[in-house]
Amino acid sequence: MQNTVRALKSQVHRQSLYTLAKGVSSFHRVQASGGFKAAADWCAAALNARGVEARVLEYPARAGGFAGSYRLFQQWDCRAAWCRLAWPEKLDLADYGVEPVSIIQKSAPCDWRTQPLELVEMTEGCDPSAYEGWELAGRVLFTHQHINKFAWAVQQRGALGLVSDYLNDTPYVRCPEELFDTLNYTSFWWKHTPEEKRAFGFVVTPRVSQRLHAACQKARAEHEAGRAESPYPRLNAWVDSTLADGASHVVEAVLPGKERQAVLAVAHLCHPCASANDNASGVAGAIEALAAIRSAVERGLLPPPEKTIRLILVPEFTGTYNYLNDGRDRAQYLAGINLDMIGARQQGTTGPITLTGLPWACPSFVGDLATLLMQEVKGPAASRDDLLLAHVLTKQAPFGLGSDHFILSDPAVGVPCPMLGQWPDAFYHTSSDTLERLDLDVLRYSTLVAAGYLYTLASFTLQDAQLVWNHQRTRLMAEAERIRREGFDQGGDGRQTEQRLAALKTFYKGAAASVQRFAPGADPGPQLAWMDAALPGAFCPAPGGPVWRRRFADPIESLENLLLDQPQQLALARDYEAKHADEQDREMLEALCGYYIDGARTENEVIAWVLAEQGGQNSGLLREYMQLLAACGLLERAQE
């Protein structure tokens, strides 16, 4: 494994990573758009120029379409857009040509260049009842919360557009006062239903928001003094855009192995210009990883891989669902890795490079291999470059949602996929996520981990198996300590902690045995015996309730979107979501619940597994969620 890392270190270059990240970040890469297609073509060309065979796959982007359980959306293209305050003062609010993030992505076209619109500041929050008697029809709203909270104003009250100063406030990481000249990446996500009304919108910085708020107060004062007919500021706006059925794209690259079975790398190519760390860094690292492996093999530094290595550069979620549901044999993919935000300078609240592990429903040793390689890349320093790599901050984290690994790691998909990422990041999803924020040593470190992971899995040996098993013992005990600490902090009686430890051991035993999928001659017996001795006890949840079988082949990204064409089921889902809107960790609990429903576990066993993995006591939510899925026709009884 150290030989592999040494060989790859000589082939992963900082300047190449910079060139790739710079190129990717220059494109405005909104999902299903001409800008994304241009970026995809550029990435395919970059891969081919480095000797890695690549092509761009095309999929439909149309209203009402599906890829598995994922509802598709239309292609959006914007050519120009701007918004200017005309009265009581003149102020440029937004210009797409200067800063693409200043428009709310997927805005509908409009032309108010010569006829001004009135701007209403939404000073009473986002509850519709607070605006009874307010005339919103035909006006633009100045909003201070997430735009989704004002959908009612467009759909039911006739508002034409929005000007938003919302900036996602992340506790202890960022707040608007600290990002005074930063724009929040904001997008409409249209449902494409017959009755839906479209709107346009713009985004302003906290600094501009203050001036706009002052203009609203001045307009009101002018009106109250009898010097103006209206109490509202006036603005002009223009959006030259189209939203129609079109195409979405995925870049696919292949390093052929002796076997058809493959290891898969995924990075999302989407997000507005520049979105450098999120996720030009992941795309650059993925391209460089495959190019480095190819170069190392061509130069004789490494033997050719046994298994094929594939890479997909996708619009996040959309592309992975499309790729998995285009008729290909999912069984060919043995494991994956997701590269999402892997190269920002580690200062302030920008965090370590984080390895997000696997859900316990999808046991595999590949998470242990990834964390082992994170150590190996920091191995003995033989140069200044090695020393810089050793100083990169890193962290291991339990399974979490938020990117494409959540799709691949669903046991029904069967591609165990850890994620290499970076969290926290004070500038993610903002106009301040620029190329200058990247640290090429951090990005090179992440790229080496990814390249080492892909090549090692593609050429896995019995010696590698033993190294992973040794490392796995350390990981298991660290996870056991984490669970014991959580139990102590929660002040429980210890029984749930013991159950969680037993479930953890079951996961790790499955992970240890999974080595045989890559190294058939490996004997996990001694490893399994060690685990039984280290953590005595077995996880034996009491059965009970129906046994459910899923009727969906990949995880549900949005239950509401899935059910839009089924009014009765949609009403049930909305009632459930309204009831549990403030439930802690609800999305995670629901995702894990779906993972554990396998046609063999009873309802009680599914609940026990989810609570063992996630902690907590919320069995009622899980039972209600399964009943909801069944009522919506998404589950069927496997047996009485």
Side-chain angles (χ1 to χ4, degrees):
M1 201 172 289
Q2 269 295 335
N3 290 339
T4 297
V5 170
R6 278 194 293 270
L8 292 171
K9 280 182 176 179
S10 69
Q11 304 305 307
V12 173
H13 303 294
R14 298 170 81 256
Q15 185 58 44
S16 179
L17 287 165
Y18 177 80
T19 300
L20 289 166
K22 180 180 179 181
V24 172
S25 67
S26 69
F27 292 94
H28 189 56
R29 316 179 301 279
V30 174
Q31 292 200 4
S33 70
F36 186 96
K37 174 60 162 59
D41 288 339
W42 187 91
C43 289
L47 283 156
N48 283 311
R50 288 162 171 77
V52 180
E53 179 185 346
R55 59 178 178 160
V56 177
L57 307 177
E58 183 171 296
Y59 300 95
R62 57 184 176 85
F66 281 90
S69 64
Y70 184 85
R71 182 178 289 269
L72 302 175
F73 44 82
Q74 292 182 321
Q75 178 174 331
W76 178 76
D77 289 295
C78 185
R79 289 160 290 279
W82 52 257
C83 183
R84 299 167 187 161
L85 189 66
W87 181 83
E89 62 176 290
K90 296 186 181 299
L91 176 65
D92 289 345
L93 298 177
D95 190 330
Y96 179 81
V98 175
E99 176 52 83
V101 184
S102 66
I103 186 175
I104 298 179
Q105 310 303 307
K106 304 184 186 292
S107 279
C110 72
D111 190 352
W112 299 93
R113 286 176 289 184
T114 58
Q115 182 180 354
L117 294 169
E118 291 185 325
L119 180 72
V120 180
E121 183 172 13
M122 306 298 275
T123 56
E124 308 304 313
C126 56
D127 187 339
S129 64
Y131 297 95
E132 292 180 6
W134 290 44
E135 182 56 57
L136 304 180
R139 289 173 168 156
V140 178
L141 312 183
F142 178 25
T143 63
H144 308 300
Q145 290 86 30
H146 195 286
I147 63 169
N148 289 352
K149 296 183 178 182
F150 296 93
W152 58 269
V154 173
Q155 302 305 322
Q156 282 87 47
R157 300 282 294 275
L160 297 178
L162 307 175
V163 174
S164 171
D165 68 2
Y166 173 78
L167 200 154
N168 184 15
D169 192 338
T170 306
Y172 315 119
V173 176
R174 72 181 188 197
C175 61
E177 293 77 13
E178 295 175 336
L179 301 176
F180 210 49
D181 294 302
T182 293
L183 297 164
N184 196 84
Y185 163 32
T186 310
S187 180
F188 294 113
W189 291 96
W190 303 115
K191 303 296 185 184
H192 300 302
T193 56
E195 69 279 4
E196 184 176 50
K197 298 176 183 178
R198 303 273 173 76
F200 63 88
F202 298 90
V203 183
V204 295
T205 66
R207 184 186 300 277
V208 172
S209 174
Q210 286 193 357
R211 291 189 63 182
L212 194 54
H213 173 69
C216 291
Q217 292 180 315
K218 182 177 180 181
R220 190 178 304 113
E222 291 289 297
H223 173 71
E224 291 172 352
R227 293 189 292 269
E229 292 184 5
S230 170
Y232 302 118
R234 293 190 294 273
L235 56 77
N236 297 98
W238 178 48
V239 178
D240 180 12
S241 67
T242 54
L243 186 67
D245 287 353
S248 182
H249 300 87
V250 170
V251 180
E252 181 187 42
V254 183
L255 287 177
K258 299 176 185 177
E259 302 173 13
R260 178 172 170 272
Q261 290 182 313
V263 184
L264 182 67
V266 58
H268 71 80
L269 177 58
C270 59
H271 287 356
C273 176
S275 295
N277 194 38
D278 185 18
N279 188 35
S281 67
V283 172
I287 294 174
E288 183 73 358
L290 263 68
I293 294 170
R294 186 211 61 81
S295 179
V297 170
E298 182 184 66
R299 297 182 182 208
L301 302 175
L302 293 173
E306 296 293 322
K307 293 177 175 58
T308 296
I309 299 172
R310 290 182 180 269
L311 164 67
I312 53 173
L313 305 176
V314 300
E316 195 170 19
F317 297 122
T318 312
T320 302
Y321 278 105
N322 272 324
Y323 188 75
L324 291 172
N325 288 284
D326 65 2
R328 68 185 59 249
D329 178 15
R330 296 180 178 185
Q332 68 182 292
Y333 303 105
L334 300 182
I337 188 168
N338 180 22
L339 308 181
D340 188 349
M341 300 168 59
I342 60 170
R345 186 175 297 110
Q346 296 180 332
Q347 64 181 25
T349 55
T350 297
I353 295 299
T354 302
L355 195 287
T356 299
L358 301 173
W360 293 359
C362 186
S364 175
F365 74 95
V366 298
D368 302 305
L369 172 64
T371 57
L372 174 58
L373 282 161
M374 291 177 79
Q375 296 180 5
E376 293 298 313
V377 170
K378 292 186 175 186
S383 67
R384 180 179 182 275
D385 285 343
D386 288 347
L387 194 60
L388 292 171
L389 293 174
H391 287 158
V392 174
L393 301 176
T394 60
K395 179 183 176 181
Q396 301 170 24
F399 174 72
L401 305 177
S403 191
D404 297 85
H405 62 287
F406 132 86
I407 306 168
L408 294 167
S409 292
D410 183 340
V413 177
V415 186
C417 182
M419 179 179 73
L420 201 61
Q422 190 168 23
W423 188 254
D425 185 336
F427 303 103
Y428 86 104
H429 285 197
T430 74
S431 60
S432 294
D433 185 7
T434 58
L435 191 67
E436 292 76 19
R437 294 191 54 244
L438 297 185
D439 183 321
L440 296 179
D441 293 308
V442 174
L443 182 53
R444 183 167 178 261
Y445 170 84
S446 301
T447 303
L448 284 165
V449 173
Y453 175 95
L454 293 167
Y455 181 81
T456 302
L457 281 179
S459 306
F460 204 72
T461 67
L462 293 175
Q463 186 180 32
D464 292 328
Q466 192 57 57
L467 289 171
V468 168
W469 281 332
N470 290 342
H471 178 65
Q472 194 179 54
R473 297 185 179 190
T474 303
R475 287 256 292 163
L476 172 59
M477 300 317 293
E479 282 291 284
E481 180 185 1
R482 176 181 67 83
I483 288 172
R484 288 191 178 103
R485 281 178 173 269
E486 288 179 1
F488 181 81
D489 290 343
Q490 293 164 5
D493 60 7
R495 284 177 293 183
Q496 185 184 30
T497 297
E498 292 306 312
Q499 282 294 291
R500 294 187 71 194
L501 291 173
L504 173 72
K505 183 182 71 171
T506 303
F507 164 73
Y508 266 93
K509 290 179 72 173
S514 73
V515 167
Q516 293 177 305
R517 197 176 185 193
F518 286 81
D523 176 17
Q527 183 78 345
L528 301 181
W530 180 89
M531 290 179 179
D532 280 327
L535 289 176
F539 185 63
C540 301
V547 175
W548 296 114
R549 180 187 296 117
R550 287 169 42 166
R551 301 185 67 184
F552 49 96
D554 35 44
I556 298 172
E557 189 270 336
S558 169
L559 185 59
E560 178 172 339
N561 286 346
L562 181 60
L563 299 173
L564 279 178
D565 303 323
Q566 304 172 57
Q568 290 182 333
Q569 291 88 338
L570 179 60
L572 292 175
R574 286 176 171 170
D575 287 344
Y576 163 86
E577 293 199 359
K579 177 180 177 181
H580 298 288
D582 298 324
E583 207 79 62
Q584 187 176 11
D585 298 325
R586 178 172 65 89
E587 290 182 355
M588 174 65 83
L589 291 169
E590 292 168 354
L592 295 179
C593 184
Y595 289 172
Y596 282 111
I597 296 171
D598 62 355
R601 295 184 179 97
T602 67
E603 191 173 272
N604 285 354
E605 289 170 326
V606 169
I607 292 171
W609 266 107
V610 173
L611 297 183
E613 178 170 352
Q614 185 66 14
Q617 305 287 338
N618 207 339
S619 59
L621 170 72
L622 294 166
R623 200 176 306 278
E624 193 172 340
Y625 181 64
M626 284 185 274
Q627 291 168 356
L628 171 65
L629 294 181
C632 293
L634 297 170
L635 300 181
E636 61 185 6
R637 285 178 181 263
Q639 65 185 54
E640 293 297 330

